[in-house]
Amino acid sequence: MSYNRSRRLFIGGSVAASAIGASGLSNLVSAQSVEAAASQPSVIYGPKPGVAKLNANENPFGPSPAALEAIATASAQGGAYYAYPAAMTLLDMIAERHGITRKHISLSAGSSPILSYAAVAASKNGKILGPDLFWDTTSKAPEKQGAPEIMRIANTAELDIDLDAMYAAIDDSIGMVHICNPNNPTGKVLDPNKLRDFCIKASKKTLVLVDEAYNELIDEPPKHTMIPLVKAGHNVIVARTFSKIYGLAGMRVGYLIASEENTEWINRYGMGGYTLNQAGLAAAIASYNDDAFLTFSKEKIYEGKAMVMDAVKANGLTALPSSTNFIFVNLGDGNAEYFRQAMAEKDVLIRGIYRTYDNWSRVSMGKIADVKRYVDAMPAALDKMYKMQNT
């Protein structure tokens, strides 16, 4: 058994232990721990020094001070234990806010796992339907298991999600409709009344998933959420995350809200609470009602977006209006991958081409100094992009 080796070591060293006493043994262990820590490799937990990381929609202003304090406490007191009690606390907080029960909520390590579980579950009933341009990573999960590819509906000329065309495409072959609102990578938000009407109609035909990862960044977030449809009994599920406005992308906490039946069904495809960790849950609990930090983050994000929009205009380009923490820039006749490479040469990281949208470039908001680096680098990067295209 695993304890045998420890017991033999203790017995074998009992004379020495008696000699140095309990306090001496404690000092010995502490000294060995310090020595072990000193031998560990150096780890970079964020962007490399000198790099402006604007490619992953993170909020670099987090975790909040309250979250950092909670992380330290939870790690010290609960790092050796599974995180069930903390998970129950967070479930209760979410349930209280939305007037639902624990059984309507499923937590996961970020929203990606639970979105993937939903996609895999739904794929047993048919294909997944989505717009041509949306955050499709999790809906692609069933394809790795042999399921059909996502059925895609063209976005409008303005790159909006075409709800009418989406509804018309729903038939018996569709197992789930997947919509991101606000959408990624476009940053555009749907009219809440039109989306609500769509969800009600579509959910009579199939399961509807609304990914609300960026909901807290919208003006008047409660007006745009589809969670009330879950409470009203419609066949709708909603996903949320602590990775965006809360600044906890690295702490990995997300959740899904659905009927008790849908929650239980989707959970069959995951590992439940075994994907959760004490530090992440503590940070989420501390952040959930931290309105001061959320306001601060939102103000900084909007400050960065204003800087980018000014730079876009100054360089003769256009961009889509954004209700998120990123902006989708139209490079005109430019190529987004070449633009990404040109920015990377200046240690500014952004995204490249999405699907066939060669001239659209996504930049995330970061620390204001990093956003300024993007703004300052834009003229030279555009020049380099055109040179690369012409060679």
Side-chain angles (χ1 to χ4, degrees), residues 280-300:
L281 288 168
I285 291 166
S287 301
Y288 195 52
N289 294 314
D290 191 346
D291 292 335
F293 172 72
L294 300 186
T295 298
F296 166 77
S297 290
K298 194 168 183 178
E299 288 175 349
K300 287 296 183 183

Side-chain angles (χ1 to χ4, degrees), residues 12-335:
S14 59
V15 175
S18 298
I20 62 176
S23 60
L25 181 59
S26 176
N27 291 336
L28 176 62
V29 171
S30 297
Q32 291 173 339
S33 296
V34 170
E35 182 179 353
S39 67
Q40 295 300 314
S42 176
V43 180
I44 298 176
Y45 292 102
K48 293 181 179 179
V51 171
K53 190 175 186 302
L54 307 175
N55 62 349
N57 299 345
E58 296 137 328
N59 173 16
F61 299 104
S64 70
L68 290 173
E69 182 177 350
I71 289 167
T73 301
S75 300
Q77 297 180 3
Y81 306 102
Y82 291 120
Y84 179 84
M88 295 304 102
T89 298
L90 184 57
L91 284 176
D92 287 340
M93 294 174 73
I94 297 169
E96 180 181 4
R97 174 173 294 185
H98 296 292
I100 53 180
T101 70
R102 287 180 179 176
K103 292 183 178 180
H104 289 90
I105 310 164
S106 181
L107 297 173
S108 67
S111 60
S112 297
I114 199 68
L115 286 167
S116 297
Y117 305 157
V120 171
S123 70
K124 308 302 179 183
N125 297 330
K127 294 178 288 187
I128 294 174
L129 174 68
D132 186 50
L133 192 60
F134 76 112
W135 192 70
D136 56 13
T137 303
T138 55
S139 275
K140 286 181 176 179
E143 296 176 18
K144 299 175 182 178
Q145 302 177 18
E149 293 184 357
I150 299 168
M151 179 177 175
R152 298 176 185 270
I153 302 299
N155 293 70
T156 69
E158 295 76 27
L159 296 188
D160 289 309
I161 296 172
D162 191 336
L163 293 177
D164 291 337
M166 293 273 287
Y167 180 74
I170 301 173
D171 57 25
D172 292 341
S173 71
I174 302 301
M176 185 176 77
V177 177
H178 187 163
I179 290 177
C180 297
N181 190 52
N183 197 17
N184 179 10
T186 67
K188 301 190 78 173
V189 64
L190 289 161
D191 177 278
N193 294 323
K194 291 181 180 178
L195 178 58
R196 191 171 296 108
D197 291 344
F198 168 83
C199 288
I200 292 172
K201 292 191 305 179
S203 65
K204 289 179 169 56
K205 293 185 173 184
T206 191
L207 177 66
V208 178
L209 163 61
V210 183
D211 182 353
E212 296 184 348
Y214 303 94
N215 174 267
E216 293 88 355
L217 285 160
I218 308 172
D219 291 331
E220 301 183 80
K223 185 174 75 173
H224 291 268
T225 183
M226 296 298 114
I227 292 174
L229 297 184
V230 177
K231 294 175 60 178
H234 297 285
N235 193 25
V236 174
I237 58 180
V238 175
R240 292 281 187 91
T241 182
F242 285 86
S243 294
K244 308 307 178 185
I245 187 67
Y246 296 98
L248 300 177
M251 305 308 296
R252 311 310 301 136
V253 184
Y255 58 98
L256 179 143
I257 293 177
S259 67
E260 292 186 18
E261 294 77 14
N262 278 335
T263 301
E264 191 277 332
W265 169 57
I266 292 168
N267 281 345
R268 296 175 194 172
Y269 295 87
M271 289 293 293
Y274 285 105
T275 69
L276 302 172
N277 69 89
Q278 293 280 25
L281 288 168
I285 291 166
S287 301
Y288 195 52
N289 294 314
D290 191 346
D291 292 335
F293 172 72
L294 300 186
T295 298
F296 166 77
S297 290
K298 194 168 183 178
E299 288 175 349
K300 287 296 183 183
I301 289 166
Y302 273 66
E303 180 181 349
K305 289 198 295 183
M307 293 168 60
V308 170
M309 293 300 280
D310 287 345
V312 166
K313 183 177 180 180
N315 284 276
L317 304 175
T318 60
L320 295 181
S322 172
S323 295
T324 62
N325 61 341
F326 55 87
I327 289 177
F328 211 34
V329 179
N330 186 350
L331 298 174
D333 58 355
N335 180 285

